[in-house]
């Protein structure tokens, strides 16, 4: 797909590290599958990965976790 940020690059499938903050909670999820722009580095998560990342963040926030670092696992 074409990058909507720089409108010049095309995206390639790779992995990225996602950091979420919810109040006092910080969640770092490594190796999340994503489309990454070859030109500007903008990251596009697929809807499934994005949804799962949000769920992990919500669960950590509810549990009152301060810092959580984990690997991404596909559902
Ligand atoms: Zn771009």
């Amino acid at each position: 797909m074409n990058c909507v940020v720089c409108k010049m690059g095309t995206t390639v499938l790779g992995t990225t590290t996602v950091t979420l903050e919810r109040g006092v909670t910080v969640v770092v999820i490594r190796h999340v599958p994503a489309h990454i722009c070859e030109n500007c580095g903008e990251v596009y998560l697929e809807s499934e990965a994005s949804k799962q990342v949000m769920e992990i963040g919500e669960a950590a926030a509810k549990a009152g976790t301060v810092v959580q670092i984990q690997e991404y696992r596909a559902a």
Side-chain angles (χ1 to χ4, degrees), residues 3-71:
C3 179
V4 297
V5 175
C6 67
K7 298 183 171 57
M8 286 171 65
T10 53
T11 58
V12 290
L13 193 59
T15 61
T16 190
T17 300
V18 177
T19 304
L20 292 172
E21 289 189 51
R22 294 274 187 284
V24 298
T25 304
V26 177
V27 180
V28 178
I29 305 158
R30 304 180 67 214
H31 301 120
V32 180
H35 296 273
I36 301 159
C37 176
E38 288 180 304
N39 185 53
C40 72
E42 181 69 15
V43 170
Y44 300 90
L45 294 185
E46 285 181 341
S47 60
E48 192 53 45
S50 166
K51 192 175 138 216
Q52 211 180 326
V53 161
M54 288 303 161
E55 282 171 6
I56 292 167
E58 292 303 324
K62 266 188 199 152
T65 306
V66 178
V67 178
Q68 177 172 318
I69 301 171
Q70 68 175 81
E71 293 290 314

